[in-house]
Amino acid sequence: MNSNIEIKHIAKSKIDTVDFNNLPFGSVFSDHMLTCTFKDGKWESPIIEPYAPISLDPSAKIFHYGQSIFEGMKAYKDTEGNTLLFRPLDNCKRLNKSAERLVIPQIPEDLFMNGLKELLKVDDAWIPTNEGSSLYIRPFMFASGNGFHASPANEYKFMICTAPSGAYFAGKVKVLIEEKYARAANGGVGFAKAGGNYAAQFYPTQLAIEKGYNQVIWTDDNTHEYIEEAGAMNIFIRINDTLITSPTSDRILDGITRKSIIKIAEDLKIDVEVRKVSVSEVIAAVQSGSLKEMFGAGTAAVISPIAGFGYQEKDYDLPELEKPFAALLKKTITDIQTNKSEDPYGWRMKL
């Protein structure tokens, strides 16, 4: 692999057309993107070029056999104008874990990091400075090789695109505990950030939306007795003053925000239990008044508080707390990400 990066600058930036005070999430795109091709058994030199449509043959295997994986990351600016990343090497490692499971060539760490850093330098002006905003970063890999034969492709693309973004969710969400559909199964690809995992979520999520909910809480594929994830996020449940989250498995994504929350909570002297939690335990906790909070955790939303949930045609509301764990943990993690506090863990990377 040649680590030299060719840079083709856009003729005229579109940044002046963007209202950085009213950014949606993930639908306004920066000027440039990074592309790197795997061909003849090796990664070629990456290119940073103007953001634009790409051309693929109709027989490209991504369209037929779904070899597609991605990551979600963010870049921030601190008050001194420094560009900051949060645990980027963890994203690279997880991307390669996903790649291995889908028989996609793994991306060398230096290519991933050097390409990301150069892209952020080129599009430095696109990193928002407004409170609550960030530059969302989407690294992804897919099968670009051609053929209708049901087998791994012989060519792949690694790309990084970025999008200045505001909040993923506005306010609290109402969720439906899923009783029929499953997000993932044992031995499957639930632990990977495979595009197909998310495509399979859309139908049951749409059914929940039609019933007046924002998202689905996924349960285990076998019995639907145990809570696993919240939409596209890991889930945390607070019973009394104990924070509970499901253990990772073949079915549950090893979330970087999840791992960070567990460590921060422990250091804040919050009792944390990583264990299976049943729907019946949650219902019993509501009825006894011991269920205090539920929230989703992921890169896009960081922490998304859950206001209430539905189960078996009945709705349950969560209490309004003066000092919820969700708010404390979100502030702690975002202060580290944006250099408003010390980083005792070495998670923050300055470019």
Side-chain angles (χ1 to χ4, degrees):
M1 183 208 56
N2 187 339
S3 60
N4 294 327
I5 300 176
E6 181 183 357
I7 300 176
K8 300 177 180 178
H9 289 276
I10 196 167
K12 179 175 173 52
S13 175
K14 57 183 181 288
I15 197 168
D16 291 341
T17 67
V18 176
D19 181 0
F20 279 80
N21 293 314
N22 294 285
L23 287 170
F25 183 88
S27 58
V28 175
F29 304 102
S30 312
D31 281 332
H32 298 86
M33 62 186 186
L34 180 138
T35 304
C36 190
T37 301
F38 183 89
K39 188 176 180 179
D40 297 328
K42 65 180 186 298
W43 288 102
E44 297 181 346
S45 297
I47 300 172
I48 293 173
E49 56 192 336
Y51 182 91
I54 59 175
S55 177
L56 291 171
D57 193 283
S59 69
K61 292 200 173 186
I62 175 57
F63 300 134
H64 307 278
Y65 303 112
Q67 280 181 289
S68 175
I69 57 176
F70 70 94
E71 277 296 317
M73 310 170 65
K74 287 179 178 177
Y76 308 86
K77 285 286 188 183
D78 65 13
T79 55
E80 297 178 359
N82 297 306
T83 298
L84 309 168
L85 294 169
F86 184 73
R87 305 186 72 167
L89 295 178
D90 286 353
N91 289 102
C92 183
K93 290 172 184 174
R94 192 172 63 183
L95 186 69
N96 280 331
K97 186 178 178 182
S98 299
E100 181 180 22
R101 181 61 179 84
L102 273 78
V103 198
I104 295 173
Q106 297 193 19
I107 193 80
E109 186 178 285
D110 61 341
L111 191 158
F112 181 97
M113 289 304 304
N114 291 339
L116 175 58
K117 290 176 181 179
E118 288 303 314
L119 180 62
L120 293 179
K121 287 178 185 177
V122 171
D123 278 342
D124 179 77
W126 285 87
I127 305 174
T129 56
N130 299 27
E131 187 74 24
S133 296
S134 59
L135 185 73
Y136 185 77
I137 303 167
R138 173 55 59 87
F140 58 106
M141 299 166 67
F142 62 91
S144 55
N146 305 332
F148 292 146
H149 188 270
S151 61
N154 60 1
E155 290 185 18
Y156 295 85
K157 294 284 188 188
F158 167 66
M159 300 183 67
I160 306 177
C161 299
T162 65
S165 297
Y168 190 78
F169 287 119
K172 294 186 177 183
V173 298
K174 186 180 176 186
V175 297
L176 179 66
I177 295 180
E178 183 56 53
E179 300 175 59
K180 176 182 178 181
Y181 297 99
R183 177 188 171 273
N186 285 331
V189 297
F191 69 89
K193 284 190 75 70
N197 289 345
Y198 297 81
Q201 292 185 32
F202 294 158
Y203 178 67
T205 301
Q206 186 58 42
L207 295 179
I209 290 170
E210 290 171 2
K211 293 179 180 179
Y213 301 92
N214 304 101
Q215 266 293 355
V216 167
I217 289 186
W218 301 106
T219 49
D220 69 284
D221 63 306
N222 186 26
T223 66
H224 294 288
E225 292 179 7
Y226 294 96
I227 285 175
E228 300 212 320
E229 291 199 355
M233 298 180 286
N234 297 114
I235 188 167
F236 286 82
I237 297 164
R238 176 184 172 185
I239 296 179
N240 290 318
D241 287 332
T242 299
L243 206 55
I244 306 164
T245 192
S246 303
T248 55
S249 66
D250 284 351
R251 304 185 305 275
I252 298 177
L253 186 72
D254 185 13
I256 294 166
T257 305
R258 171 188 176 276
K259 290 190 288 191
S260 304
I261 288 171
I262 291 171
K263 179 59 179 170
I264 289 169
E266 290 172 343
D267 288 353
L268 290 172
K269 308 303 180 187
I270 295 172
D271 289 332
V272 179
E273 294 181 2
V274 179
R275 63 170 175 83
K276 294 170 71 173
V277 56
S278 67
V279 178
S280 59
E281 181 182 359
V282 172
I283 299 296
V286 174
Q287 293 169 341
S288 69
S290 59
L291 181 65
K292 305 301 183 186
E293 294 179 74
M294 296 171 66
F295 56 86
T299 297
V302 185
I303 288 178
S304 182
I306 294 170
F309 65 89
Y311 181 65
Q312 294 185 344
E313 305 300 325
K314 186 174 180 181
D315 282 342
Y316 299 87
D317 293 324
L318 274 73
E320 290 280 348
L321 303 179
E322 275 191 35
K323 295 182 178 180
F325 285 174
L328 172 63
L329 292 166
K330 183 173 184 177
K331 184 178 188 306
T332 304
I333 195 169
T334 54
D335 281 356
I336 291 173
Q337 290 170 334
T338 56
N339 201 18
K340 292 178 182 175
S341 71
E342 292 298 315
D343 174 17
Y345 312 105
W347 292 339
R348 187 172 59 227
M349 178 183 289
K350 185 171 77 170
L351 266 60

